Each structure stands twice: as structure tokens, then as C-alpha cells.
Amino acid sequence: MGRRKLLTLATFNVNGIGTRLGHLLAWLEREQPDVVALQELKATDEAFPVDALEAAGYGALWHGQRSWNGVALLGRGVVPQESRRGLPGEPADRQSRYLEAAVHGILVGALYLPNGNPQPGPKFDYKLRWMRRLARHAAGLVDLPHPVVLMGDFNVIPTDGDVYDAKAWRKDALIQPEVRAAYEDLLAQGWTDALHAHCGDAAPYTFWDYFRQHAERDRGLRIDHLLLNRALAPRLVEAGVDRWVRLQQKASDHAPTWIRIAAATPAKRARKQARAAATPDKPGAPARTARRNPSA
């Protein structure tokens, strides 16, 4: 019997896709992930480098914003099929932070959760409201019969073990009790924190700031997460962080964070298709048509 096929899902805060397109393309060529969520594009829709990504073998869906924010989804050899752009619950919110699409048979919620600093203040309040909106939306996804992953830069340090020095960050929005409680409430719905599930307390950091050679000294934070719903969690095989990307010259302060999952067997796909045919569409189900250009 041959080896079972694995799919690699990854999230990467590029911290400016125009400035760091070379880093992104080098990583894609070397690691060849199947599904990628990108954050902090810091680029308008028109400036998104779709041609370069297509030349690298990736279809793309993106939601840009000038100077900050911006999220995208990449599919190796396929164009992600969009199902949602932006979180429900706050119509006046125009920040580009959430994009949801079906890629390689998986519903992917790509997100860039607000930083929240300085706290207390309006930015911290917005972060907490955004987390409540995410929780309400996620509650409708966690029990779906098909696989779902929420992945991106959550801007949440879940525990003191996920930061090199908790005391040094005690006033930061990423570590506040309200933020941690909101993250725990999200997990309590039934989501699995994949990196922690695979690595335990030894889960690697995903972010290192630019001060005092923190990346070289591995003085970092774990704030980039991949959360798996109940249908996907049993397929988790491996998880890790490509820290070598962070150690390049003029790199993003984040490193790509990834998991490998077992591909669905034909029998499982057949059962899933039969269930889908026998039941009406549910909120959050993968869209049936592909959109590449968000302004189309």
C-alpha cells in the first residue's frame, strides 16, 4: 500500500507583500504548501502580485487595504472558491481582516485579528468586539461535517509558555486576561489549536520582533494559530514553523506556521458528498464558484 497523501496548510503574516514578495516566493518554491493564508498585505487590491503568484503555481483570492491590514488565500494549482469576505456583525467595519474560501476540499477562514494596542482604549475595545464576532461565526463552523480551519495571525499569546518573557509583555494587548479568555472560549466550542496539540508545551514561537536579535536568540511569541474543527482535527499529522524564513535579511517579523493533514480517503469523500446531497446548504458551506479578483 502506498503512502497516504498529505496536505500542507500554512499561515504567514508577510508584513508587506510588496516589500517581501521575494521572501514569499522563495518560501513557496522551497516548501510548496498546498494552502496558504497571508496577512498584513499592506497593499491595495490593484497592487496585489497575482501574476507573480500564478507564475509560481498558485491561484489567489485577496482582500487588500492601503498601508495596513489585508488578507489573502493561495491554493497550489487551484483558485480558492470564496464563500465570505469580512466577518458578520458590524456592517461599519471596513478593515480587511477576514476571507473565507474552499481550497483543496477544506473550508479556510483566513484572518488577521486586531492587535489591540494601546490598551485600554478604542483599539482594544475593537479587538474584543472582533473576537466576539469571530466566536459567533466560528460557532456555526465547528460542527460542520466537512473540514474547516481558521488560520492566521490571531494576535493572542494563549499562555505564559507561549512567550519568552511574560513579564516583559504584561501590559501588551496580546496577553491581557480578557483576550486570553476570549481565545479559550473559542477553543471551548470544539476547535483544536493544531500547533499546541502536536507540540504540547514545546510549541515553537511564530513571531520575533526586530529588537536585540530576538529572532537569532529565539526570544519570540506564539501568536499565529491554526484551529481545526471536529471534522479536521483527527487528520492532523504534523505541525511546525519555518523559522528559517524569519532569519533571512529584511524578513517579516513572523515566520510561516504550518500543519500537515492526511488527505481525505475516497470513501470519506463519498460519504461527505452523500451527506451534502441529502441536506440543505448550511451557513459557511464552500462556495460553488471561484472568484480571483475581489473587485469582479
Side-chain angles (χ1 to χ4, degrees), residues 1-257:
M1 181 180 294
R3 295 180 63 185
R4 191 173 181 185
K5 182 181 178 182
L6 301 180
L7 288 174
T8 300
L9 284 58
T11 178
F12 184 18
N13 181 322
V14 293
N15 194 13
I17 197 166
T19 304
R20 297 185 172 90
L21 179 59
H23 295 80
L24 173 60
L25 294 175
W27 171 67
L28 291 174
E29 181 179 11
R30 174 169 162 176
E31 305 295 344
Q32 298 188 356
D34 298 289
V35 181
V36 181
L38 301 175
Q39 305 88 44
E40 273 203 279
L41 303 180
K42 297 182 179 179
T44 62
D45 289 338
E46 295 76 16
F48 186 82
V50 61
D51 292 338
L53 291 166
E54 286 183 344
Y58 286 84
L61 184 72
W62 64 95
H63 188 194
Q65 189 169 347
R66 186 183 301 277
S67 302
W68 61 81
N69 300 333
V71 288
L73 273 169
L74 310 181
R76 187 180 178 202
V78 299
V79 177
Q81 300 179 44
E82 181 176 344
S83 58
R84 172 170 291 280
R85 182 175 295 257
L87 280 177
E90 195 167 326
D93 186 2
R94 295 290 182 262
Q95 296 193 27
S96 302
R97 293 186 176 274
Y98 188 84
L99 192 58
E100 188 176 291
V103 198
H104 289 301
I106 299 168
L107 185 65
V108 182
L111 63 91
Y112 176 42
L113 205 146
N115 178 282
N117 283 303
Q119 68 83 27
K123 291 185 177 180
F124 188 67
D125 295 340
Y126 171 62
K127 179 186 185 114
L128 294 178
R129 290 199 313 274
W130 207 94
M131 294 187 79
R132 289 193 292 269
R133 290 162 57 200
L134 176 63
R136 288 194 296 268
H137 182 60
L141 303 176
V142 68
D143 288 320
L144 290 178
H146 52 262
V148 184
V149 58
L150 300 174
M151 61 181 182
D153 178 359
F154 279 69
N155 271 316
V156 175
I157 303 171
T159 72
D160 285 356
D162 295 308
V163 53
Y164 72 93
D165 184 350
K167 290 183 179 178
W169 287 79
R170 67 186 183 278
K171 295 183 179 180
D172 197 276
L174 278 63
I175 205 170
Q176 295 309 303
E178 305 97 311
V179 170
R180 285 181 163 177
Y183 185 76
E184 286 297 324
D185 287 345
L186 186 62
L187 296 182
Q189 293 180 356
W191 296 93
T192 295
D193 180 334
L195 201 64
H196 183 266
H198 182 74
C199 304
D201 293 339
Y205 300 137
T206 67
F207 168 93
W208 304 257
D209 61 33
Y210 293 116
F211 300 107
R212 301 176 181 174
Q213 294 189 312
H214 279 179
E216 292 77 6
R217 298 163 60 200
D218 198 22
R219 294 173 65 82
L221 323 173
R222 189 173 75 91
I223 58 176
D224 302 272
H225 309 304
L226 297 94
L227 306 188
L228 315 182
N229 79 335
R230 290 188 174 95
L232 184 57
R235 291 166 53 185
L236 178 63
V237 174
E238 190 178 1
V241 175
D242 288 332
R243 186 173 163 224
W244 68 266
V245 179
R246 175 63 181 87
L247 297 175
Q248 303 302 299
Q249 292 294 316
K250 299 182 179 179
S252 169
D253 41 10
H254 295 250
T257 304

